[in-house]
Amino acid sequence: METSNILTDPLPWFVTIHGQKYPIRADFRTGLQVNVLMRKKLPDEDKIERMLEFYYPEEMPDDLNSAISAVISFLAGGE
């Protein structure tokens, strides 16, 4: 993912994993939901599963490690 300025550049609406594009929810509200989720007293596995469900509304990538990395990269502005 290319580095972007989250305040001035349009957000991507998909991530590419192993050459396949997966739609993601790029709305700021999704980030807020994940922020609230991460503060809950839940097992880390449950938090990660729910985070992925928030960001991949249509299709979950088969490679979950890459799916997690893509979300983290998105949240970091593509870094």
Side-chain angles (χ1 to χ4, degrees), residues 17-71:
I17 299 174
H18 303 303
Q20 184 174 348
K21 291 182 179 182
Y22 293 90
I24 60 168
R25 285 190 182 120
D27 188 275
F28 77 94
R29 291 170 193 88
T30 304
L32 294 175
Q33 288 176 313
V34 169
N35 191 309
V36 169
L37 171 66
M38 293 303 162
R39 294 171 191 261
K40 291 185 177 184
K41 293 185 180 187
L42 296 171
D44 288 343
E45 295 83 11
D46 291 348
K47 290 179 184 181
I48 291 169
E49 182 180 337
R50 290 184 187 179
M51 176 189 74
L52 291 174
E53 289 170 356
F54 283 140
Y55 276 103
Y56 295 98
E58 296 178 24
E59 181 182 4
M60 185 73 63
D62 292 331
D63 182 347
L64 294 182
N65 287 329
S66 292
I68 293 165
S69 294
V71 168

Side-chain angles (χ1 to χ4, degrees), residues 2-13 26 74 77:
E2 193 174 299
T3 303
S4 62
N5 183 323
I6 197 166
L7 297 177
T8 59
D9 295 338
L11 296 175
W13 294 98
F74 169 75

